[in-house]
């Protein structure tokens, strides 16, 4: 799927601040240092669309972007950053949970994990959360360029087993640096959102 336009819409913390539209949404979520902003910028062909912070855990808002004037891409706050207080962590979790709990426009959630490491307890909790709320989920392992080809199968096995991914569920690997397979991943993540929007 070719992304022609991508623009910032609004930032939100509370439900009443979300865009008041009925267009489909796809949300990206992951640990605060997983490279979420980089993959969003790579897939949308906009270098500065999602702000890449040098300070992990800095994104505390839900950011909405309009893609091709057809659907929203939603950037959820990063979680799991160690250098913030428990109170702050809890507030981020509440922001994410409130969005996931009652958002009929949300059709799919992309969970980002680091391809180099075993998914954390927070990653497992988030995967289970998304499934609990019944959303379509795609798991993308970021920073593929950081692992050797000889390590690929081992890393894939570790992620699949830790998250308990079903055997029929594809695990996508991607590098925002070399962008190999970007068009294919874009099709997988976005095409059905557009098809559904057009059919409504």
């Amino acid at each position: 799927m070719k992304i022609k336009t991508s623009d910032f819409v609004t930032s939100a913390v509370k439900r009443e601040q979300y865009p008041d539209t009925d267009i489909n949404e796809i949300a990206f979520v992951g640990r605060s240092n997983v490279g979420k902003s980089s993959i969003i910028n790579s897939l949308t062909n906009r270098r500065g669309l999602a702000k890449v912070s040098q300070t992990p855990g800095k994104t505390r808002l839900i950011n909405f972007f309009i893609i091709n004037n057809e659907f929203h891409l939603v950037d959820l706050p990063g979680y799991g950053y160690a250098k913030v207080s428990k109170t702050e962590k809890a507030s981020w979790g509440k922001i994410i949970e409130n969005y996931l709990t009652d958002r009929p426009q949300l059709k799919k959630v992309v969970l980002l994990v680091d391809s180099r490491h075993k998914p954390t307890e927070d990653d497992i909790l988030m995967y289970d959360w998304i499934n609990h709320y019944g959303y379509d989920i795609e798991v993308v392992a970021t920073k593929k360029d950081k692992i050797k080809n000889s390590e690929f199968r081992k890393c894939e096995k570790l992620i699949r087993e830790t998250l308990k991914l079903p055997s029929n569920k594809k695990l996508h690997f991607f590098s925002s640096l070399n962008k190999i397979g970007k068009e294919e991943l874009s099709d997988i993540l976005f095409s059905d959102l557009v098809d559904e929007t057009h059919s409504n």
Side-chain angles (χ1 to χ4, degrees), residues 16 20 22 24 45 59 75 125 129 133 141 164-165 177-178 186 191 200:
E16 54 266 30
D20 185 18
D22 59 358
N24 291 337
N45 304 309
T59 303
D75 182 9
L125 178 64
W129 238 13
Y133 288 119
K164 297 184 173 63
L165 286 181
L177 193 65
N178 60 39
S186 181
S191 289
N200 289 341

Side-chain angles (χ1 to χ4, degrees), residues 13-137:
V13 175
K14 303 172 184 176
R15 187 170 287 136
E16 54 266 30
Q17 297 170 328
Y18 301 165
D20 185 18
T21 69
D22 59 358
I23 67 173
N24 291 337
E25 294 178 356
I26 179 171
F28 280 61
V29 66
R31 287 206 319 279
S32 54
N33 59 350
V34 78
K36 182 158 51 69
S37 297
S38 295
I39 192 172
I40 289 172
N41 291 340
S42 176
L43 290 172
T44 58
N45 304 309
R46 284 281 301 275
R47 182 177 293 180
L49 186 67
K51 298 294 185 289
V52 180
S53 173
Q54 298 306 311
T55 307
K58 197 169 183 181
T59 303
R60 297 173 171 86
L61 302 168
I62 299 176
N63 293 308
F64 292 81
F65 305 96
I66 184 77
I67 308 299
N68 288 353
N69 291 315
E70 293 176 316
F71 63 90
H72 283 141
L73 189 159
V74 185
D75 182 9
L76 296 175
Y79 56 79
Y81 188 51
K83 294 183 181 179
V84 298
S85 68
K86 288 184 178 180
T87 304
E88 215 167 355
K89 282 185 182 179
S91 72
W92 295 352
K94 199 68 181 170
I95 290 169
I96 295 170
E97 186 176 18
N98 283 343
Y99 173 75
L100 292 176
T101 303
D102 184 25
R103 187 64 175 167
Q105 296 93 328
L106 179 60
K107 303 302 179 184
K108 184 183 296 184
V109 181
V110 181
L111 174 62
L112 303 176
V113 297
D114 192 320
S115 63
R116 303 169 296 177
H117 305 301
K118 179 179 179 179
T120 65
E121 289 297 321
D122 286 328
D123 291 327
I124 297 168
L125 178 64
M126 183 57 65
Y127 179 76
D128 291 342
W129 238 13
I130 297 164
N131 278 308
H132 171 75
Y133 288 119
Y135 295 113
D136 183 14
I137 181 171

